[in-house]
Amino acid sequence: MKAVIIKNILTPYEIARFNLIHEKLGNNLLVLFHNQSEVNRNWRLKFNDISFKYKALPDIRFKIGRSDIFTLHFNFTTFSELKEACPDIVISGGWDSFASYMAYLYCKIYNKKFILWAGST
């Protein structure tokens, strides 16, 4: 089974989780990120520890308000990236992003499974 996970950014605490999912899927995982990082995150990533395939999508950003807490990312290549990857299942790590909406639309059009995996309320 081929799977794609769509997340906002690569975080150090998710590398082991994604590596395990990648291994369990027989090396058939691609993780697409809205962006490489956020301005309010200073992660120290250990890129040598990453075994899964990943890609930071090109984006257009809109900062909401004066703080750097919330930024909207518009990833206009999400649909084409999914079409190219041709996954059996798409797991969206959020419900409030343009990329998530495009992933849902892709799954509806191509009759693929869509799982919403979100940690917000």
Side-chain angles (χ1 to χ4, degrees):
M1 172 188 327
K2 288 176 72 176
V4 169
I5 295 175
I6 299 176
K7 290 283 294 171
N8 57 343
I9 59 172
L10 178 57
T11 57
Y13 54 85
E14 290 185 306
I15 291 174
R17 177 186 308 153
F18 292 153
N19 282 342
L20 183 61
I21 294 168
H22 181 64
E23 180 185 317
K24 295 290 183 186
L25 291 175
N27 300 328
N28 283 316
L29 174 66
L30 170 64
V31 184
L32 299 175
F33 296 104
H34 299 171
N35 199 315
Q36 191 78 19
S37 184
E38 290 285 359
V39 294
N40 62 348
R41 301 287 193 267
N42 291 321
W43 304 121
R44 295 231 167 175
L45 298 171
K46 296 179 181 175
F47 289 97
N48 292 338
D49 292 348
I50 298 172
S51 63
F52 57 91
K53 293 174 270 182
Y54 68 93
K55 182 174 188 176
L57 298 170
D59 73 333
I60 297 172
R61 287 173 243 168
F62 293 97
K63 192 168 87 168
I64 305 299
R66 292 184 178 200
S67 73
D68 60 359
I69 302 230
F70 192 68
T71 303
L72 291 175
H73 296 273
F74 290 91
N75 307 97
F76 293 104
T77 63
T78 305
F79 196 93
S80 60
E81 291 286 344
L82 289 170
K83 198 169 176 185
E84 183 180 324
C86 195
D88 301 301
I89 188 167
V90 177
I91 302 164
S92 178
W95 53 269
D96 61 347
S97 71
F98 183 80
S100 294
Y101 298 141
M102 290 297 98
Y104 181 75
L105 180 63
Y106 168 84
C107 290
K108 283 302 244 187
I109 290 171
Y110 291 100
N111 198 29
K112 305 292 183 173
K113 294 179 183 176
F114 180 84
I115 294 175
L116 179 61
W117 175 18
S120 64
T121 56

